[in-house]
Amino acid sequence: YGGLNCILFKNNKTVSVRRIKISNSRLQYFRQHLMMFYSGINRKADKILGKIKKEKKGNLNYEKLSELAKNFEYELVAGDLNNLGHILHENWMLKKNLHKTVSPLNLNEIYENAISAGAIGGKLLGAGGGGYFLFFVKPEKQINVKRKLSKFKCIDFDFCNEGSRTINI
């Protein structure tokens, strides 16, 4: 889809996608506060999602996670952009408790190291268990986070309105 979107998963098992309208200056501010790191861990998302579904306690957090997503969109579009890091942090605290495979100890360590170096919050992208961490970090703290997570690849990325794509260098 590209760009920033609100994806709604409905009870009738349909999905709708709505573009989030945000000014270029807000989008740039948001982007300047993001850092992405590859955890070095590959995983099968479908296996993790299956375990979460069997656990059943995940249902308790879904409503709160949904509310956080709505709060995130509000802050992104019209609120205080600095609250985005705190919302990401709260999201991570809930998500990692969905099932132990979402955040094994080594992923918790990556997250805690980023926070101790100055990240305000972050989240593991996707189902969990590995892959990429996205952190919200004030620009003046980014060098500290990069140093603290130096054994992990820091991914240079940007937003794209055309959707995901690969570029050859």
Side-chain angles (χ1 to χ4, degrees), residues 41 51-52 57 81 100 169:
I41 302 167
K51 289 177 181 180
I52 290 170
K57 76 175 182 181
L81 291 166
K100 64 183 176 186
I169 299 175

Side-chain angles (χ1 to χ4, degrees), residues 7-113:
I7 302 172
L8 296 172
F9 300 89
K10 300 178 183 177
N11 288 336
N12 65 1
K13 300 195 183 213
T14 62
V15 177
S16 69
V17 179
R18 176 180 44 81
R19 169 96 53 203
I20 296 174
K21 293 180 174 88
I22 178 175
S23 72
N24 282 337
S25 60
R26 289 181 74 80
L27 184 63
Q28 282 305 103
Y29 182 94
F30 179 49
R31 173 58 194 95
Q32 290 167 354
H33 286 71
L34 296 177
M35 298 182 78
M36 185 186 306
F37 291 87
Y38 178 55
S39 70
I41 302 167
N42 292 319
R43 79 286 185 245
K44 294 276 187 192
D46 58 331
K47 289 183 180 178
I48 292 171
L49 291 171
K51 289 177 181 180
I52 290 170
K53 191 174 182 178
K54 283 182 188 174
E55 189 80 11
K56 301 237 192 278
K57 76 175 182 181
N59 294 339
L60 302 172
N61 289 331
Y62 289 143
E63 196 170 309
K64 182 63 176 164
L65 289 168
S66 177
E67 191 63 33
L68 286 173
K70 290 175 192 168
N71 292 345
F72 191 90
E73 181 181 0
Y74 169 78
E75 297 293 353
L76 182 64
V77 173
D80 182 348
L81 291 166
N82 292 306
N83 287 336
L84 298 173
H86 300 292
I87 294 170
L88 287 174
H89 179 72
E90 192 173 347
N91 176 282
W92 174 247
M93 293 296 113
L94 290 169
K95 185 175 179 179
K96 73 178 189 166
N97 290 318
L98 291 176
H99 192 273
K100 64 183 176 186
T101 57
V102 171
S103 181
L105 291 177
N106 50 345
L107 293 179
N108 285 329
E109 184 179 343
I110 294 170
Y111 187 86
E112 292 305 321
N113 283 337

Side-chain angles (χ1 to χ4, degrees), residues 121-133:
K123 73 180 298 305
L124 198 55
L125 302 175
Y132 297 83
F133 265 109

